[in-house]
Amino acid sequence: MIKKIALATFALMFIFPVMSNAQIQMFDEPPFEHYKVSPGDSFWFIGQRYNVDYRQLMRLNPDVDPYNMHVGEVIRLKESAEHHSQFEDQVVQLVNRERQNRGLQPLQHRADLKNVAHKKAEDMINSNYFSHNSPNYGSPFDMIRTFGISYQAAAENIAKGQTTPEQVMNSWMNSSGHRQNILNDNFDTIGVGFYHGAWVQLFIKAR
């Protein structure tokens, strides 16, 4: 396991830009489920454009820092939209870079396993624990099977408190057990979850 990192509190501020509706197209409701963040965006402005309360957007995207939205980050506009996190995608990219640098095959970021990893990260925060064994789902192996995923082999890395994909990957790569999972040539599939500072990597051999 990775040692927890203490996080400082900060004041949340919202900047409400003054912008004429004539300058940008406005909508009565979102015409699509996801939105890619552009320079100068905020939850407030995106909500104004697509006629969605900014507080609803924050609830739909709890792992997005409203004070530091990243350009290119994909956020949910509707309840029906599938969860998406730029941080999770970036961790997979970093994992596959480490593997390819060592001549290993990249891992597939599969949607169903990604969903399980995200639920585990949510569970660690909402149930206030830091352990491979969940009080609600049991072991990682139990949890993967509960969500209907079959596998030949599996492993899990967890971390809590790191603020960026680079930081959490450095922590994992500097720990022999976690690094072994990341560079295990037996695995072919990965699912990454991030939620309020909790990080989860699930690895399986699916084929």
Side-chain angles (χ1 to χ4, degrees):
M1 291 187 222
I2 303 296
K3 183 179 179 181
K4 296 183 184 179
I5 295 178
L7 298 177
T9 58
F10 64 93
L12 186 63
M13 298 173 60
F14 294 96
I15 300 173
F16 291 29
V18 178
M19 188 172 292
S20 167
N21 289 357
Q23 293 177 284
I24 191 164
Q25 185 179 2
M26 309 298 281
F27 299 86
D28 292 332
E29 62 180 43
F32 32 71
E33 295 190 335
H34 294 94
Y35 174 81
K36 184 175 287 189
V37 175
S38 299
D41 270 340
S42 66
F43 275 133
W44 180 85
F45 178 71
I46 296 168
Q48 288 290 300
R49 184 179 184 191
Y50 294 106
N51 198 28
V52 180
D53 191 307
Y54 75 89
R55 290 163 293 194
Q56 168 74 350
L57 291 177
M58 291 174 63
R59 188 186 67 78
L60 289 173
N61 301 278
D63 47 356
V64 176
D65 182 353
Y67 195 60
N68 186 28
M69 299 181 77
H70 299 281
V71 173
E73 194 165 20
V74 177
I75 65 169
R76 300 168 67 203
L77 295 180
K78 297 181 178 181
E79 287 277 1
S80 58
E82 180 185 346
H83 163 78
H84 187 97
S85 168
Q86 197 79 2
F87 274 8
E88 293 168 358
D89 292 343
Q90 289 172 12
V91 168
V92 176
Q93 292 169 6
L94 293 170
V95 165
N96 283 332
R97 184 184 304 167
E98 294 287 353
R99 291 175 65 87
Q100 290 172 322
N101 286 344
R102 293 162 175 82
L104 302 172
Q105 289 296 310
L107 301 176
Q108 176 192 2
H109 196 200
R110 216 170 76 184
D112 54 353
L113 193 62
K114 172 182 176 178
N115 178 57
V116 178
H118 185 77
K119 287 188 180 299
K120 173 63 180 284
E122 283 186 327
D123 189 48
M124 285 200 294
I125 295 299
N126 294 335
S127 297
N128 193 30
Y129 71 93
F130 183 68
S131 171
H132 290 292
N133 289 308
S134 162
N136 302 304
Y137 296 106
S139 73
F141 315 108
D142 294 333
M143 189 172 182
I144 294 170
R145 285 192 292 266
T146 295
F147 281 87
I149 299 173
S150 59
Y151 59 89
Q152 298 180 43
E156 178 186 71
N157 285 345
I158 60 174
K160 199 172 186 181
Q162 293 84 351
T163 58
T164 67
E166 293 80 9
Q167 189 180 87
V168 74
M169 276 297 293
N170 284 338
S171 296
W172 278 327
M173 290 301 291
N174 286 323
S175 167
S176 60
H178 298 90
R179 183 173 63 249
Q180 183 177 352
N181 286 337
I182 291 169
L183 301 179
N184 190 327
D185 194 30
N186 195 39
F187 297 132
D188 51 44
T189 307
I190 188 173
V192 175
F194 170 74
Y195 184 81
H196 283 252
W199 305 80
V200 177
Q201 290 178 325
L202 290 174
F203 304 89
I204 64 170
K205 177 177 175 58
R207 297 189 288 271

